[in-house]
Amino acid sequence: MAPIKIALVGIGKIVRDQHLPAIAKNSDYQLIAAASRHGTVDGIDNFKSIEAMLDAVPAIEAVSLCMPPQYRYEAARVALDAGKHVFLEKPPGATLSEVADLEALAASKGLSLFASWHSRYAPAVEAAKSFLATTTIKDVQVIWKEDVRHWHPNQEWIWAAGGLGIFDPGINALSIVTHILPRPLFVTSAVLEFPENRDAPIAANITFTDGQKLPVAAEFDWRQTGKQSWDIVARTAAGEMVLSEGGAKLSIDGKLVHEEPEQEYPMLYRRFAEIVKAGKSDVDLAPLRHVADAFMLGKRKFVEAFHD
Ligand code: NAP
């Protein structure tokens, strides 16, 4: 089959770090254009807006939308209306309803919509899921603590309403948890800490359970300096499972049982090509739904102002 002619929109950190190398190494794709207000990609046609790009380059078959979530819906609608398949960076949108609208639009036009969750493709995630399927889980603790100044310098959108704050990384944890646990979860309580000068939280403590009363607790915090933590710990009848480093390593009772080189974005692009070829969409909103529920049910605390 001929490669999918793809374009990138919103040229920033994640495009340069991950999308460009993943597309370059995958013969299922030919990158032919980019649209961004300021950013450009060498060696292809660049445009200031998605509208200008789609008008000028009708050969585009698919777009990856990599701008912040608050601006993704409009671009996705323009692309779907123009008959293009759409890859959405995570989180897929700023609200649940707008993503549902895109899903219906894609279905009505016979196009593929991909709500990508890169952390689900971390190397040890499938091994963790398989392990948990074979045992009884007693409880689960999710600890996602990182230094926002290191990982998100000068990203104003992340602190604006709809930017999700600490849930920008926290939703990666939720994308793993919702994939590896055997039953759907729901939020039972949440406390969100908002810097007094920001519209998005810097920390969140959330409890969840499921239909069989499994206790699941998540601690998300952006004020972590020194060692960073991206761990999911499950106490089970077969021992303590630790899925660490954002899903890269799996240990059972302290023994490392799975570790492989990270391939998250190459796997995302493989999956996107697969759904385009199969003529279907892949849109799981569970991680975003839990974030929405935490905002809906959560108590709010105001904490010290945050300055970069
Ligand atoms: P970023 O570099 O701050 O933003 C990406 C690009 O979006 C910017 O370069 C900008 O390009 C465009 N943009 C910014 N504000 C915009 C606005 N108001 N309207 C339209 N376009 C705007 O962000 P990023 O780190 O790449 O993250 C983008 C998305 O990828 C987020 O949803 C994030 O959660 C996800 N992601 C990021 C990482 C990471 O490590 N950074 C990892 C995985 C996923 P122009 O100014 O040229 O238009």
Side-chain angles (χ1 to χ4, degrees), residues 2 18 23 30 40 46 51 57 101 123 135 150 158 165 175 190 197 207 244 252 255 267 274 277 283 296 299:
Q18 298 288 352
I23 292 171
Q30 183 188 356
T40 56
N46 287 275
E51 291 87 350
V57 192
D101 186 63
T135 183
H150 178 80
I158 219 159
S175 74
N197 61 338
T207 62
S244 59
I252 312 290
K255 185 168 172 271
M267 289 175 77
E274 188 180 285
K277 283 175 194 162
V283 182
M296 189 151 65
K299 293 182 181 171

Side-chain angles (χ1 to χ4, degrees), residues 239-252:
E240 186 184 73
M241 182 205 87
V242 180
L243 182 60
S244 59
E245 298 181 20
K249 289 185 183 171
L250 183 70
S251 302
I252 312 290

